[in-house]
């Protein structure tokens, strides 16, 4: 008699109209489009996130940036080093034992402005067919991300 773990038992199909699965697919499609727009700048979403956070709070530590990105501190060190190599971030010299101060350079601000323009174009394209320019949908998505820990 087959059991739930029997490898010959076909898996139940996912509901094709599942809102959760549609959102996952839409998020991945948007991510691919954003990554494609970032590629000419030599950036990924992780780079963009670190650059954006530092543009608002240059006092953030590598650990703070890593926590926000959901990566290890070592991985964030590599990300920041790549941003430095691109000239998007400068690192002020500090004394031994002091936390490094990371500053977004003029080139970094220029890149952020170019990426913001690209994101506005993508947003306009995505919301073109939505009522009210997608404001209700945007509010809905903001609510989902605010409760991303699974609580309601």
């Amino acid at each position: 008699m087959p059991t739930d773990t029997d490898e010959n038992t076909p898996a139940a199909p996912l509901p094709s109209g599942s809102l959760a699965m549609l959102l996952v697919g839409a998020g991945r499609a948007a991510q691919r489009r954003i990554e494609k727009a970032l590629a000419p700048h030599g950036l990924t979403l992780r780079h963009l996130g670190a650059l954006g956070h530092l543009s608002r709070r240059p006092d953030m530590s590598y650990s703070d940036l890593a926590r926000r990105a959901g990566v290890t501190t070592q991985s964030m060190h590599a990300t920041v080093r790549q941003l430095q190599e691109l000239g998007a971030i400068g690192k002020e010299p500090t004394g031994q034992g002091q936390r490094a101060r990371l500053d977004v350079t003029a080139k970094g601000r220029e890149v952020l402005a170019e990426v913001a323009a690209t994101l506005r174009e993508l947003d306009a394209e995505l919301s073109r067919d939505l009522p009210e320019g997608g404001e209700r949908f945007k509010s809905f998505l903001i609510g989902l991300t605010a409760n991303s820990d699974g609580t309601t």
Side-chain angles (χ1 to χ4, degrees):
M1 173 166 221
T3 65
D4 288 345
T5 58
D6 187 347
E7 62 187 52
N8 295 323
T9 304
L14 290 172
S16 61
S18 164
L19 179 60
M21 293 307 294
L22 289 169
L23 284 170
V24 168
R28 287 182 180 157
Q31 180 177 349
R32 283 191 299 271
R33 291 176 77 174
I34 293 168
E35 292 276 2
K36 185 177 178 181
L38 293 173
H41 300 286
L43 300 175
T44 65
L45 278 171
R46 184 180 304 168
H47 293 114
L48 180 62
L51 198 54
H53 287 305
L54 287 170
S55 72
R56 290 183 298 279
R57 288 200 39 218
D59 61 329
M60 290 185 79
S61 68
Y62 287 97
S63 297
D64 293 334
L65 288 168
R67 266 191 297 281
R68 291 193 182 228
V71 298
T72 65
T73 302
Q74 293 83 355
S75 181
M76 187 52 65
H77 273 275
T79 299
V80 169
R81 186 173 47 255
Q82 291 163 349
L83 287 168
Q84 288 176 288
E85 290 167 2
L86 291 168
I89 288 181
K91 185 171 153 182
E92 286 186 20
T94 58
Q96 188 173 355
Q98 291 181 317
R99 184 165 74 184
R101 180 177 166 91
L102 303 169
D103 290 309
V104 176
T105 64
K107 178 171 180 163
R109 288 187 294 278
E110 180 182 309
V111 167
L112 282 172
E114 289 176 22
V115 170
T118 301
L119 290 175
R120 282 191 296 276
E121 291 172 12
L122 179 57
D123 288 350
E125 183 182 327
L126 291 172
S127 62
R128 180 181 29 224
D129 296 327
L130 295 174
E132 304 167 21
E135 289 305 313
R136 286 183 64 198
F137 186 62
K138 188 175 176 181
S139 294
F140 166 73
L141 292 175
I142 289 169
L144 279 180
T145 57
N147 294 318
S148 62
D149 64 355
T151 62
T152 55

